Amino acid sequence: PNQFKVVEKVFLALRRFLEPITRDQECLDAVKRTVKLLGESDAVLQLRKVFQDYPKAQLDLLENACFAYAMLAGIDALLKEATVGTVQIKSAAVQALCDLCRSFAELQPKAAEIRNCAAGLVASEVTRGREGEMGQQVVELQRRYEMLTGLLR
């Protein structure tokens, strides 16, 4: 249990380093420098390990890990991990995409691509359940997807 708490706090701190407080150029430049420094370390490998070690963790941990992973490895890498991940990882990835799109206006040109990939994540979970049945986690994933599509209009 203590190890999990440490991992949770580390990814919360990592996200805070990577998420710009404002959209001014100085703040964005600081984030770019942080991404560059972390990209030169094994941070991406450690983030991937979280998806393997804690695939059904609380959404806060997974959201922070997904946000950091997308910042360091790219959105395409995050979507690839989410495609083979649990419904919790998919939901956390969609939430991270919402947060990224809110923080970085330059993602708007990729809106259609992001929306289509996220739709695939939702569809893969919806079709797993029996007809007319959806678990609470799938409903949450779907809600987050709807929020993402609203952001990307």
Side-chain angles (χ1 to χ4, degrees):
N2 291 337
Q3 184 179 4
F4 177 78
K5 284 291 184 194
V6 169
V7 169
E8 188 176 42
K9 298 297 182 196
V10 165
F11 286 108
L12 175 60
L14 184 58
R15 178 175 180 153
R16 288 190 176 152
F17 278 118
L18 295 171
E19 193 166 25
I21 297 170
T22 65
R23 288 187 181 179
D24 67 45
Q25 196 57 46
E26 185 179 338
C27 187
L28 294 174
D29 289 344
V31 168
K32 286 178 185 174
R33 286 190 303 273
T34 304
V35 167
K36 184 178 186 291
L37 286 171
L38 288 170
E40 294 169 356
S41 70
D42 69 343
V44 171
L45 295 174
Q46 296 304 317
L47 284 161
R48 284 188 75 206
K49 192 166 174 16
V50 168
F51 300 137
Q52 296 163 359
D53 292 350
Y54 303 105
K56 294 184 178 187
Q58 295 174 349
L59 285 176
D60 288 346
L61 167 69
L62 293 174
E63 287 168 15
N64 292 334
C66 285
F67 185 93
Y69 189 73
M71 289 292 294
L72 298 178
I75 289 176
D76 292 337
L78 172 63
L79 290 168
K80 184 178 177 184
E81 285 295 322
T83 299
V84 297
T86 61
V87 65
Q88 291 92 335
I89 291 173
K90 288 176 176 136
S91 188
V94 171
Q95 183 62 49
L97 289 171
C98 287
D99 297 342
L100 287 162
C101 289
R102 241 188 314 249
S103 296
F104 299 98
E106 60 268 21
L107 292 175
Q108 286 300 321
K110 292 184 75 173
E113 180 184 344
I114 292 170
R115 196 172 33 247
N116 290 341
C117 291
L121 296 177
V122 174
S124 69
E125 289 299 324
V126 169
T127 59
R128 283 187 188 179
R130 293 190 301 199
E131 191 173 320
E133 256 183 44
M134 274 198 293
Q136 187 60 35
Q137 294 166 333
V138 176
V139 171
E140 180 63 14
L141 170 60
Q142 197 163 23
R143 185 190 68 76
R144 290 171 179 217
Y145 170 73
E146 290 167 3
M147 189 168 61
L148 177 64
T149 57
L151 278 171
L152 294 175
R153 289 186 182 178

